[in-house]
Amino acid sequence: MDLASRKIAIIGLGYVGLPLAVAFGATRDVVGFDINQSRVDALERRSGQGHREHPEGPQHRADERVVAHLGKLGIDTAEVLEAAGTKWNFLRFTPGLVGGHCIGVDPYYLTHKAQELGYHPEVILAGRRINDGMGRHAADQTARLMMRKGIPVVGNRILVMGAAFKENCPDLRNSKVADVVARLKECNAGIDIWDPWVDAQECARAFGITSMKDIPDERYDGVIVAVGHRQFRALGVDGLQALCKTPGVICDIKGLFPRHVTDGRF
């Protein structure tokens, strides 16, 4: 007997078992079993209609309505993480520019070997594609926010706060902040970098811009909080706003500051 002709038994006809039985039932004979007699009776009374009502019922209709309006909502990532964190086993991964070696480079060794063996690791590669595009996305988001306020990107000055690949670290290797800077340069914006951790000359070699060690004494048309250094957090709201002109744009990639004092964040 080939596999396609074998009868399948589904034990338990709840919110997992019933849709599973429906899916298998599309191509082969299925027997459902449930110790809840009232559940079995209800399904029998519906003469099979219950099968279709569950997977295509209220939850699916609600999902379709939500998806249709997901654009236009203003959902804040930090608030979502705060709510999700009420679940005891939630892992809190926060947005940012993922550089360095462990996450930025090493997965490609794994995916290369996997492909050699005939397996295409789509989830890993999809994650890398998203992360690799975040620098350009951050720059584009800042440019759009500036244009919405009538502030031209071309010829105006933008401060990038942080150059290292992660917070409280002087390491510039594979920093995705370089992608932010490169994209803004394409827009002919004037770029300053302030990072109290990195070596100024090393930053000049890597980014083409010498990093400032001390807090800038001028105000900018745009400010991008790219790295979560503790010195940046210590600025507080007043210190951050003092770096930006009015009108000006503050894009907080790391979510260091309250939402209401920034124009955009991831």
Side-chain angles (χ1 to χ4, degrees):
M1 181 184 294
D2 61 49
L3 292 176
S5 61
R6 291 183 180 180
K7 183 176 291 186
I8 293 177
I10 303 296
I11 312 301
L13 299 176
Y15 72 93
V16 173
L18 183 58
L20 187 62
V22 171
F24 277 121
T27 59
R28 62 188 72 189
D29 290 337
V30 176
V31 173
F33 175 83
D34 199 295
I35 61 172
N36 186 337
Q37 187 60 48
S38 62
R39 174 68 165 163
V40 175
D41 293 340
L43 291 174
E44 288 179 342
R45 284 195 301 271
R46 294 170 186 166
S47 301
Q49 294 180 12
H51 289 58
R52 293 186 294 274
E53 288 174 3
H54 187 88
E56 297 177 7
Q59 182 176 348
H60 280 236
R61 291 198 297 272
D63 289 345
E64 290 170 0
R65 289 186 178 183
V66 169
V67 169
H69 298 283
L70 273 181
K72 302 180 181 182
L73 293 179
I75 295 174
D76 182 67
T77 303
E79 293 176 359
V80 172
L81 292 174
E82 193 67 27
T86 60
K87 192 172 188 296
W88 68 271
N89 61 347
F90 174 71
L91 299 177
R92 187 184 181 93
F93 296 112
T94 56
L97 301 173
V98 183
H101 210 275
C102 297
I103 298 177
V105 178
D106 291 351
Y108 289 114
Y109 301 142
L110 173 62
T111 58
H112 174 72
K113 187 61 179 179
Q115 289 170 325
E116 276 189 342
L117 297 175
Y119 176 73
H120 187 66
E122 296 182 13
V123 173
I124 298 173
L125 290 172
R128 289 309 320 143
R129 284 194 298 272
I130 293 171
N131 283 330
D132 287 343
M134 279 296 109
R136 294 176 68 86
H137 171 70
D140 289 344
Q141 183 185 44
T142 303
R144 284 193 295 269
L145 290 169
M146 291 176 68
M147 288 186 286
R148 286 175 189 167
K149 286 192 172 184
I151 306 170
V153 178
V154 177
N156 274 320
R157 299 191 61 76
I158 298 175
L159 174 67
V160 177
M161 294 172 56
F165 86 86
K166 66 177 182 179
E167 59 268 20
N168 307 322
C169 167
D171 201 336
L172 287 169
R173 291 176 298 173
N174 198 38
S175 171
K176 292 301 178 183
V177 181
D179 295 340
V180 178
V181 172
R183 183 63 165 172
L184 292 173
K185 283 183 176 180
E186 291 177 4
C187 299
N188 291 321
I191 312 297
D192 280 349
I193 296 176
W194 172 36
D195 193 316
W197 284 83
V198 304
D199 180 81
Q201 297 309 312
E202 187 179 348
C203 183
R205 287 190 294 270
F207 289 47
I209 300 173
T210 302
S211 171
M212 296 179 285
K213 283 288 186 184
D214 299 319
I215 184 170
D217 58 1
E218 63 177 291
R219 294 165 70 90
Y220 293 84
D221 302 282
V223 175
I224 300 176
V225 184
V227 185
H229 291 323
R230 58 173 175 261
Q231 289 92 334
F232 299 160
R233 191 183 297 273
L235 279 176
V237 170
D238 292 339
L240 176 68
Q241 291 179 323
L243 292 170
C244 192
K245 293 180 180 177
T246 304
V249 163
I250 298 174
C251 187
D252 184 6
I253 294 175
K254 292 295 295 181
L256 291 187
F257 299 93
R259 182 183 183 186
H260 71 276
V261 300
T262 65
D263 297 280
R265 60 183 186 177
F266 281 14

